[in-house]
Amino acid sequence: MVAGRADLNFYFDPVCPFAWMTSKWVRLVAAQREYDVDWRFISLRQLNAHVDYDAHFPPDYEAGHTAGLRLLRVAARARAEHGRDAVGRLYEAFGTRIFDTAADDADSRGREWRGTRAYVEPLLAGVGLPVQLAEALDDASLDPVIQAETDEALALTGKDVGTPIIHFEPPGGVAFFGPVISRLPSAADALTLWDHVVGLAAFPGFAELKRSLRETPQLRGLGVDVDEVGVQEDWHGGSRRPKK
């Protein structure tokens, strides 16, 4: 690692289940390779600002993406006041609550519930950050910071992508969208997968390897335990294709 520079930048939206699964894999890799990760922002709400949600996405996606932007505002304020290490702790708290915790009665309030003070304040307290940071949920003055990092991420990969985006060995190293995975590998397999992904992405002229069929990730918040295989669906443009 170069002094003052992370080994990899991980651009995340906290409400994306695939970004969360990939982040858990990256944490396994980082722990074994002693990589320093800079957890950076990409907003699905800003990325889709031009989109007609009713026509393009299933119901409640707009509420979910808006909640994600609100959570990123809190993360941006936390970074400004408590340093970038606070972002990694906070993202872990967000993801654990949203995706690794079985849904309860409170979750029946809808995805917008994730962008409320009642939802966020216990998570802040749990990672040792002031609950007053939840005031940033409504602070739109932080949106340009988030937009700048969203633009930064898209400049690395092109615009026809989603979350997460990984930039290994910045500023000159390889960057890519994904990988999109639905199962968390073992510690040993995590390294094998990492070496293959980085090796492929770094090959000169390589652009894309893709299939749109995805399993629902093995996340309790989505109703899939680690010993189960999620339902496979066809995805397009960041959402499940409507069934006909």
Side-chain angles (χ1 to χ4, degrees):
M1 174 183 171
V2 177
R5 182 183 300 160
D7 297 296
L8 66 98
N9 295 337
F10 188 102
Y11 296 85
F12 72 94
D13 187 303
V15 300
C16 176
F18 295 102
W20 174 243
M21 182 63 83
T22 301
S23 79
K24 296 190 348 172
W25 164 63
V26 164
R27 289 180 192 271
L28 285 174
V29 173
Q32 295 178 82
R33 293 280 172 85
E34 298 184 346
Y35 290 157
D36 180 57
V37 181
D38 189 3
W39 303 96
R40 299 178 69 78
F41 311 139
I42 179 170
S43 167
L44 289 169
R45 188 65 188 85
Q46 291 179 339
L47 193 153
N48 292 291
H50 64 290
V51 169
D52 180 344
Y53 270 83
D54 291 337
H56 190 77
F57 289 111
D60 76 4
Y61 262 56
E62 184 171 14
H65 288 179
T66 300
L69 175 58
R70 291 168 64 81
L71 295 177
L72 286 174
R73 291 171 180 169
V74 176
R77 176 74 61 79
R79 184 175 65 187
E81 297 183 4
H82 300 276
R84 68 181 183 89
D85 288 346
V87 179
R89 304 198 321 267
L90 191 54
Y91 179 32
E92 188 169 24
F94 286 158
T96 299
R97 175 64 182 86
I98 295 170
F99 299 116
D100 287 342
T101 304
D104 56 25
D105 291 340
D107 293 311
S108 67
R109 303 180 191 183
R111 295 187 181 187
E112 61 271 16
W113 163 242
R114 299 169 180 169
T116 66
R117 293 187 63 154
Y119 192 91
V120 170
E121 286 179 352
L123 303 180
L124 288 164
V127 295
L129 291 170
V131 297
Q132 290 79 7
L133 289 173
E135 296 171 2
L137 287 164
D138 298 308
D139 188 356
S141 72
L142 294 163
D143 290 359
V145 174
I146 299 165
Q147 183 69 64
E149 292 192 10
T150 297
D151 293 343
E152 175 184 292
L154 297 179
L156 295 167
T157 60
K159 296 182 178 180
D160 189 19
V161 296
T163 60
I165 289 173
I166 295 174
H167 190 188
F168 184 49
E169 296 181 338
V174 65
F176 47 88
F177 159 57
V180 175
I181 57 176
S182 295
R183 310 183 195 187
L184 185 65
S186 67
D189 286 345
L191 294 180
T192 301
L193 179 59
W194 175 261
D195 290 337
H196 288 326
V197 168
V198 172
L200 180 62
F203 184 79
F206 174 77
E208 184 173 24
L209 179 69
K210 181 176 181 178
R211 59 185 172 208
S212 60
L213 294 174
R214 303 183 186 181
E215 296 173 1
T216 302
Q218 291 176 328
L219 299 170
R220 294 186 67 200
L222 301 183
V224 183
D225 285 328
V226 295
D227 59 348
E228 299 176 333
V229 176
V231 174
Q232 184 172 262
E233 297 178 284
D234 197 3
W235 283 62
H236 173 72
S239 66
R240 295 179 296 279
R241 293 178 187 268
K243 295 180 180 179
K244 296 182 179 180

